[in-house]
Tab-separated table of all heavy atoms in Angstrom:
chain	number	residue	atom	x	y	z
A	110	ALA	N	-32.649	-23.422	9.346
A	110	ALA	CA	-31.229	-23.564	9.685
A	110	ALA	C	-30.698	-24.918	9.237
A	110	ALA	O	-29.638	-25.017	8.608
A	110	ALA	CB	-31.027	-23.392	11.182
A	111	GLY	N	-31.451	-25.972	9.546
A	111	GLY	CA	-31.024	-27.318	9.171
A	111	GLY	C	-30.977	-27.515	7.670
A	111	GLY	O	-30.016	-28.076	7.134
A	112	PHE	N	-32.014	-27.015	6.971
A	112	PHE	CA	-32.040	-27.167	5.517
A	112	PHE	C	-30.882	-26.419	4.866
A	112	PHE	O	-30.165	-26.969	4.029
A	112	PHE	CB	-33.364	-26.660	4.940
A	112	PHE	CG	-33.311	-26.507	3.447
A	112	PHE	CD1	-33.342	-27.632	2.632
A	112	PHE	CD2	-33.171	-25.265	2.857
A	112	PHE	CE1	-33.256	-27.510	1.250
A	112	PHE	CE2	-33.089	-25.127	1.483
A	112	PHE	CZ	-33.131	-26.257	0.684
A	113	ALA	N	-30.701	-25.138	5.226
A	113	ALA	CA	-29.632	-24.334	4.621
A	113	ALA	C	-28.262	-24.959	4.884
A	113	ALA	O	-27.391	-24.979	4.009
A	113	ALA	CB	-29.677	-22.905	5.161
A	114	PHE	N	-28.076	-25.487	6.091
A	114	PHE	CA	-26.796	-26.111	6.456
A	114	PHE	C	-26.518	-27.344	5.595
A	114	PHE	O	-25.461	-27.458	4.970
A	114	PHE	CB	-26.811	-26.493	7.937
A	114	PHE	CG	-25.536	-27.154	8.409
A	114	PHE	CD1	-24.479	-26.379	8.869
A	114	PHE	CD2	-25.397	-28.532	8.396
A	114	PHE	CE1	-23.299	-26.979	9.298
A	114	PHE	CE2	-24.223	-29.139	8.818
A	114	PHE	CZ	-23.172	-28.359	9.277
A	115	PHE	N	-27.478	-28.260	5.559
A	115	PHE	CA	-27.231	-29.527	4.858
A	115	PHE	C	-27.223	-29.351	3.343
A	115	PHE	O	-26.415	-29.971	2.651
A	115	PHE	CB	-28.273	-30.569	5.269
A	115	PHE	CG	-28.074	-31.083	6.662
A	115	PHE	CD1	-28.953	-30.757	7.675
A	115	PHE	CD2	-26.980	-31.882	6.977
A	115	PHE	CE1	-28.761	-31.221	8.972
A	115	PHE	CE2	-26.765	-32.344	8.264
A	115	PHE	CZ	-27.661	-32.016	9.275
A	116	PHE	N	-28.087	-28.485	2.818
A	116	PHE	CA	-28.113	-28.295	1.380
A	116	PHE	C	-26.841	-27.613	0.890
A	116	PHE	O	-26.332	-27.927	-0.191
A	116	PHE	CB	-29.348	-27.496	0.959
A	116	PHE	CG	-29.477	-27.341	-0.527
A	116	PHE	CD1	-29.548	-28.450	-1.347
A	116	PHE	CD2	-29.503	-26.095	-1.112
A	116	PHE	CE1	-29.649	-28.326	-2.721
A	116	PHE	CE2	-29.600	-25.946	-2.491
A	116	PHE	CZ	-29.680	-27.073	-3.290
A	117	SER	N	-26.299	-26.685	1.678
A	117	SER	CA	-25.079	-25.995	1.260
A	117	SER	C	-23.867	-26.918	1.288
A	117	SER	O	-22.850	-26.615	0.666
A	117	SER	CB	-24.823	-24.775	2.151
A	117	SER	OG	-24.501	-25.160	3.471
A	118	SER	N	-23.965	-28.040	2.002
A	118	SER	CA	-22.878	-29.022	1.973
A	118	SER	C	-22.825	-29.739	0.635
A	118	SER	O	-21.774	-30.209	0.201
A	118	SER	CB	-23.070	-30.061	3.090
A	118	SER	OG	-23.021	-29.459	4.360
A	119	LEU	N	-23.989	-29.818	-0.036
A	119	LEU	CA	-24.087	-30.560	-1.289
A	119	LEU	C	-23.941	-29.666	-2.514
A	119	LEU	O	-23.537	-30.126	-3.579
A	119	LEU	CB	-25.429	-31.290	-1.362
A	119	LEU	CG	-25.767	-32.220	-0.190
A	119	LEU	CD1	-27.134	-32.826	-0.383
A	119	LEU	CD2	-24.710	-33.303	-0.040
A	120	SER	N	-24.321	-28.397	-2.381
A	120	SER	CA	-24.296	-27.496	-3.534
A	120	SER	C	-23.421	-26.296	-3.239
A	120	SER	O	-22.925	-26.129	-2.121
A	120	SER	CB	-25.720	-27.040	-3.872
A	120	SER	OG	-26.179	-26.106	-2.909
A	121	ASP	N	-23.260	-25.430	-4.228
A	121	ASP	CA	-22.494	-24.212	-4.012
A	121	ASP	C	-23.299	-23.236	-3.152
A	121	ASP	O	-24.531	-23.300	-3.082
A	121	ASP	CB	-22.131	-23.569	-5.347
A	121	ASP	CG	-23.359	-23.138	-6.127
A	121	ASP	OD1	-23.979	-24.009	-6.778
A	121	ASP	OD2	-23.723	-21.957	-6.073
A	122	ASN	N	-22.599	-22.316	-2.506
A	122	ASN	CA	-23.236	-21.391	-1.565
A	122	ASN	C	-24.279	-20.491	-2.209
A	122	ASN	O	-25.284	-20.142	-1.582
A	122	ASN	CB	-22.165	-20.526	-0.886
A	122	ASN	CG	-21.365	-21.309	0.140
A	122	ASN	OD1	-21.626	-22.487	0.358
A	122	ASN	ND2	-20.402	-20.664	0.760
A	123	ILE	N	-24.042	-20.098	-3.458
A	123	ILE	CA	-24.974	-19.190	-4.126
A	123	ILE	C	-26.321	-19.870	-4.341
A	123	ILE	O	-27.379	-19.317	-4.025
A	123	ILE	CB	-24.388	-18.707	-5.463
A	123	ILE	CG1	-23.155	-17.829	-5.212
A	123	ILE	CG2	-25.422	-17.938	-6.277
A	123	ILE	CD1	-22.436	-17.390	-6.461
A	124	THR	N	-26.301	-21.108	-4.852
A	124	THR	CA	-27.548	-21.834	-5.083
A	124	THR	C	-28.270	-22.108	-3.774
A	124	THR	O	-29.494	-21.932	-3.681
A	124	THR	CB	-27.261	-23.167	-5.805
A	124	THR	OG1	-26.596	-22.906	-7.035
A	124	THR	CG2	-28.543	-23.929	-6.074
A	125	ALA	N	-27.530	-22.541	-2.749
A	125	ALA	CA	-28.142	-22.829	-1.455
A	125	ALA	C	-28.794	-21.576	-0.866
A	125	ALA	O	-29.891	-21.648	-0.300
A	125	ALA	CB	-27.091	-23.371	-0.484
A	126	THR	N	-28.138	-20.425	-1.017
A	126	THR	CA	-28.699	-19.177	-0.491
A	126	THR	C	-29.946	-18.762	-1.263
A	126	THR	O	-30.960	-18.368	-0.673
A	126	THR	CB	-27.658	-18.047	-0.554
A	126	THR	OG1	-26.460	-18.474	0.077
A	126	THR	CG2	-28.172	-16.789	0.133
A	127	LEU	N	-29.882	-18.844	-2.584
A	127	LEU	CA	-31.026	-18.464	-3.413
A	127	LEU	C	-32.268	-19.272	-3.057
A	127	LEU	O	-33.364	-18.717	-2.906
A	127	LEU	CB	-30.688	-18.669	-4.900
A	127	LEU	CG	-29.795	-17.611	-5.549
A	127	LEU	CD1	-29.378	-18.059	-6.942
A	127	LEU	CD2	-30.515	-16.267	-5.621
A	128	ILE	N	-32.111	-20.577	-2.902
A	128	ILE	CA	-33.265	-21.434	-2.611
A	128	ILE	C	-33.768	-21.209	-1.189
A	128	ILE	O	-34.978	-21.136	-0.948
A	128	ILE	CB	-32.886	-22.911	-2.838
A	128	ILE	CG1	-32.638	-23.147	-4.327
A	128	ILE	CG2	-33.972	-23.845	-2.326
A	128	ILE	CD1	-32.119	-24.501	-4.676
A	129	SER	N	-32.858	-21.059	-0.237
A	129	SER	CA	-33.263	-20.823	1.155
A	129	SER	C	-33.958	-19.477	1.312
A	129	SER	O	-34.978	-19.370	2.012
A	129	SER	CB	-32.037	-20.891	2.076
A	129	SER	OG	-31.392	-22.142	1.989
A	130	ILE	N	-33.429	-18.448	0.654
A	130	ILE	CA	-34.044	-17.123	0.721
A	130	ILE	C	-35.405	-17.129	0.020
A	130	ILE	O	-36.365	-16.487	0.483
A	130	ILE	CB	-33.117	-16.060	0.099
A	130	ILE	CG1	-31.882	-15.840	0.980
A	130	ILE	CG2	-33.859	-14.747	-0.100
A	130	ILE	CD1	-32.165	-15.231	2.341
A	131	ALA	N	-35.514	-17.850	-1.091
A	131	ALA	CA	-36.801	-17.952	-1.786
A	131	ALA	C	-37.855	-18.574	-0.877
A	131	ALA	O	-39.021	-18.140	-0.868
A	131	ALA	CB	-36.635	-18.778	-3.055
A	132	LEU	N	-37.462	-19.573	-0.101
A	132	LEU	CA	-38.377	-20.193	0.868
A	132	LEU	C	-38.822	-19.180	1.915
A	132	LEU	O	-40.016	-19.063	2.225
A	132	LEU	CB	-37.694	-21.389	1.537
A	132	LEU	CG	-38.416	-21.997	2.745
A	132	LEU	CD1	-39.764	-22.565	2.317
A	132	LEU	CD2	-37.559	-23.082	3.389
Side-chain angles (χ1 to χ4, degrees):
F112 167 74
F114 180 88
F115 288 110
F116 184 58
S117 68
S118 298
L119 305 178
S120 73
D121 63 279
N122 287 359
I123 294 175
T124 302
T126 307
L127 283 171
I128 293 174
S129 301
I130 290 294
L132 170 63

